[in-house]
Amino acid sequence: MQSLKSVNWGRLSLNAYAAAVLVFLMIPSLLIIPISLGSEPFIQFPPRSLSLRWYLELISDPAWVESFIFSLKIAVATTVTATIVGTLAALALVRGRLKFASALQVLTLAPLVVPHIVIAVALYLVFAPIGLTGSFLGFLIAHSMLSVPYVVITVTSALQKLDPSLEFAALSCGASRPKAFFLVVLPNIAPGVAAGAIFAFLASFDEATVSFFISGIEGKTITRKLFEDIDYNLTPVIASVSSVILMISVLLMLFVERMRGSKSQD
């Protein structure tokens, strides 16, 4: 039996503190799930009875369905655009011989640290005069700008772990640079690219501040619709929408962890 003296109390305390902080951070998000399952016509916790009433209300409301589909289209287009641009940017930063690589990297990652309200106001001032507010193209440009840094971070990390001699060996065997990239580099950094793509999708689908500024009357993302209903039509449908977004995020993050686990085993 392990004696009390051999117990690492410092490590145990640190783990308990980390677990307590994690639970504290998760509680607000988890509370929306039982609220969304309540049958009362108002937000209440704990619910008196369980029902799928508000999920049925959600999928039968054309306005919510339209906003969800609009957000999904933007997120998919943003994922494709940000993955291509971010991967190319990471290649240039890691393998390129750029004079100001550090400055360019800081500039590329700037959307992560600049407050989104500042970016939203700036984009509105630029997009409004040229008619891009409320348009699919306007959302694609804005969300891609916010999503590219996630792809750059994950792909840069994957490239730094990849032995450059593998690519050099392919080039010395007669492969062209594009062929060496697609046959040697890309398969090895695929988990990093895929993780970046998932982060880009989540960053676009869950983005609220910029979407609120550049949305129009017709083109509304689900986050913009969420804000509007919180102000003018507060019902448990809000909780059901939040629960759906939470479940999508959790499933995609579990997929990322599964990919990382598979890569570690390889």
Side-chain angles (χ1 to χ4, degrees):
M1 183 177 178
Q2 191 178 25
S3 66
L4 291 177
K5 290 183 179 179
S6 62
V7 175
N8 188 336
W9 291 104
R11 187 179 184 83
L12 189 62
S13 301
L14 181 61
N15 290 339
Y17 177 75
V21 171
L22 184 62
V23 170
F24 178 77
L25 293 175
M26 290 178 62
I27 282 177
S29 298
L30 295 178
L31 283 181
I32 63 170
I33 296 176
I35 292 174
S36 70
L37 293 172
S39 59
E40 296 80 10
F42 46 84
I43 292 178
Q44 183 181 29
F45 181 83
R48 294 179 181 175
S49 59
L50 299 180
S51 168
L52 294 176
R53 170 186 175 183
W54 302 110
Y55 287 93
L56 297 176
E57 290 271 347
L58 173 63
I59 60 177
S60 61
D61 188 335
W64 279 112
V65 173
E66 186 178 340
S67 297
F68 182 83
I69 293 174
F70 187 64
S71 288
L72 194 60
K73 288 179 179 177
I74 293 172
V76 171
T78 297
T79 301
V80 174
T81 305
T83 302
I84 295 173
V85 174
T87 301
L88 293 176
L91 279 171
L93 292 170
V94 176
R95 297 294 170 80
R97 297 177 181 177
L98 305 176
K99 289 185 179 180
F100 306 104
S102 298
L104 288 174
Q105 188 169 18
V106 171
L107 188 64
T108 304
L109 302 181
L112 290 180
V113 295
V114 175
H116 280 199
I117 185 67
V118 175
I119 297 175
V121 173
L123 287 174
Y124 176 77
L125 294 176
V126 173
F127 284 1
I130 56 179
L132 283 179
T133 53
S135 68
F136 185 86
L137 180 60
F139 277 105
L140 177 59
I141 295 172
H143 284 200
S144 297
M145 185 184 70
L146 298 173
S147 302
V148 162
Y150 296 101
V151 181
V152 171
I153 290 174
T154 57
V155 177
T156 297
S157 176
L159 282 171
Q160 289 172 340
K161 293 177 182 176
L162 179 64
D163 187 355
S165 61
L166 295 175
E167 186 178 1
F168 294 149
L171 293 173
S172 64
C173 289
S176 61
R177 190 164 288 278
K179 194 172 183 179
F181 172 75
F182 284 109
L183 295 182
V184 177
V185 177
L186 187 57
N188 284 283
I189 65 171
V193 176
I198 290 174
F199 284 128
F201 179 88
L202 290 175
S204 172
F205 192 77
D206 193 37
E207 209 293 318
T209 308
V210 172
S211 299
F212 189 83
F213 273 77
I214 65 174
S215 286
I217 299 176
E218 297 295 331
K220 292 181 182 177
T221 63
I222 196 166
T223 50
R224 170 64 188 266
K225 181 78 169 62
L226 202 61
F227 273 112
E228 285 185 354
D229 276 41
I230 289 174
D231 281 339
Y232 304 113
N233 186 27
L234 187 60
T235 66
V237 172
I238 303 295
S240 63
V241 175
S242 302
S243 298
V244 170
I245 295 175
L246 177 64
M247 285 186 281
I248 291 173
S249 302
V250 170
L251 288 176
L252 290 177
M253 292 307 297
L254 289 176
F255 181 68
V256 171
E257 282 301 314
R258 186 176 178 82
M259 283 195 308
R260 290 179 57 187
S262 301
K263 185 64 178 177
S264 300
Q265 291 177 358
D266 293 341

